[in-house]
Amino acid sequence: MHVVLGVGGGIAAYKAAELVRALQTRGHQVQVVMTQAAQEFVRPLTFSALTGQRVITGLWPQDSDPGELSSAVEHIAVAQQSEVLIVAPATADLVAKFATGLADDFLSTLYLAFTGTTILAAAMNTAMWQHPATRQNLDTLRTRGCLIVEPDEGWLACGTLGAGRLPDPVRIAEYLDSVTHHKRDLEGEVVLVTAGPTQEPIDPVRYISNRSSGKMGYAIAEAAAHRGARVILVSGPVKIAPPHSVETIQVRTAHEMRTAVMEHLAEATIIIKAAAVADYFVSEIPKQKLKKTATRLSLELDPTPDILAEVGQRKGDRLLIGFAAETQNLMEEARRKMASKNCDMVVANLVNQDGLGFESDQNEVEIITRAGQRTHVGPADKTEIAEKILDQVASLHLSLRV
Ligand code: CTP
């Protein structure tokens, strides 16, 4: 693929040289763009020697080539020629510029002109990484489709220990391959994904629900569509936009989710149940709002239909992947759910870890198969976790087909 690598001005800029090598080893052609700040850390010569190409260092013609048409429109040409933009290290400054649409140098101008896949490999000091401004900028960029490779934890150049190190260049290169799907390994499949929480009304204005954001299920749905599957996403109420190229059915309650899943079960070949379905509901909802009294209020709750268990009974040769969100005994619970609900695979995660799981952009999961294979993934961004889950799904699907 034609990759344009934007190198930001952080101490990790030197690792971008290793990234060039890792990308080239995987058969990609790399054009390097450096910000002014990046050139304070590494000389463009390093990258031009590695790529055999001129490194783009600014918007304006260089003294050495004052007459070049280049610069005035070069960002458009580079944007059109490249399939992927990787920014590594993506500094707090670059993340802020991209989020606000500022275009005052070549890289930020290129970012605005670029319509392909954008991957940001963040690296910065831990406090900057955790600052609400950076978090908000990253959220904005995520909703606009940018893929974020989370920084690693470890000792930072500033002498502190924490999150902020540029991820291993090989990991970034692998991530590129997984999201751009050299492999369209789900072509011809129909993947039914459930996501988000359900809301169970208790009166006309109140409901019981949980903290699921839907991000994990949405990331899986989007990644499955990229891999060539037709995707039907049955979603509980969430605050995120439905992915492109996915048929989304919005539901509210567990019963509505069950109906939507059963309606589409026949056409599905793979079912991934990432939704956090409420286990109980109020069967007799009062017509009027419950009034406050001075006494204790009791709610009568009935169990909701267990959609996963029902699909497990009716699945035939379809592949069924369940989720197990636990606060303790992760593996035992995951294995129990696998057996009792007839799943082929269970994705298990602890939901009481700070900064992971519910409401978070990151997750850390164990993927276990019925055959007992176990894969640990994360902590990583949910888009990255989704890819790893689908790697396992695709290979399991293939092995069951042969
Ligand atoms: N699930 C479902 N229908 C329900 C409850 C859960 O389909 N009524 C699915 C979820 O989508 C998930 C899996 O079952 O794939 C496990 O959900 P979880 O809440 O972890 O487990 P429960 O089965 O509810 O079991 P427990 O409450 O004992 O943890």
Side-chain angles (χ1 to χ4, degrees), residues 194 254 257 272-279 304-309 321-326 333 336-337 341:
T194 68
M257 186 169 277
I272 306 180
K273 293 228 61 265
V277 187
D279 286 331
T304 54
D306 190 325
I307 310 167
L308 183 62
I321 295 92
F323 271 64
E326 307 295 340
E333 282 303 307
R336 182 182 65 76
K337 282 176 192 173
K341 302 187 186 202

Side-chain angles (χ1 to χ4, degrees), residues 39 70 94 96 121 130 157-158 171 206 243 248 274 286 291 352 359:
Q39 295 165 57
S70 70
L94 282 173
Q130 290 168 345
C158 52
R171 191 178 135 211
R206 303 182 180 94
T248 307
K291 283 291 176 196
N352 51 352
E359 292 172 328

Side-chain angles (χ1 to χ4, degrees), residues 342-397:
N342 195 25
C343 296
D344 300 286
M345 185 188 285
V346 167
V347 180
N349 66 319
L350 284 173
V351 284
N352 51 352
Q353 303 184 84
D354 268 358
L356 293 174
F358 277 176
E359 292 172 328
S360 165
D361 293 319
Q362 286 97 58
N363 212 349
E364 181 174 15
V365 303
E366 296 286 342
I367 305 172
I368 57 169
T369 64
R370 205 203 294 252
Q373 194 193 332
R374 180 174 166 175
T375 312
H376 181 96
V377 191
D381 200 89
K382 284 180 177 172
T383 53
E384 204 174 336
I385 305 257
E387 294 296 343
K388 294 282 193 246
I389 292 171
L390 291 180
D391 284 345
Q392 301 284 324
V393 168
S395 75
L396 185 58
H397 195 52

Side-chain angles (χ1 to χ4, degrees), residues 292-306:
K292 182 170 63 187
T293 65
T295 57
R296 173 174 288 170
L297 172 75
S298 296
L299 284 175
E300 283 268 298
L301 299 174
D302 287 304
T304 54
D306 190 325

Side-chain angles (χ1 to χ4, degrees), residues 310-328:
E310 188 177 345
V311 173
Q313 280 169 11
R314 295 169 53 173
K315 79 184 191 74
D317 62 358
R318 294 174 187 83
L319 202 65
L320 178 60
I321 295 92
F323 271 64
E326 307 295 340
T327 51
Q328 58 182 350

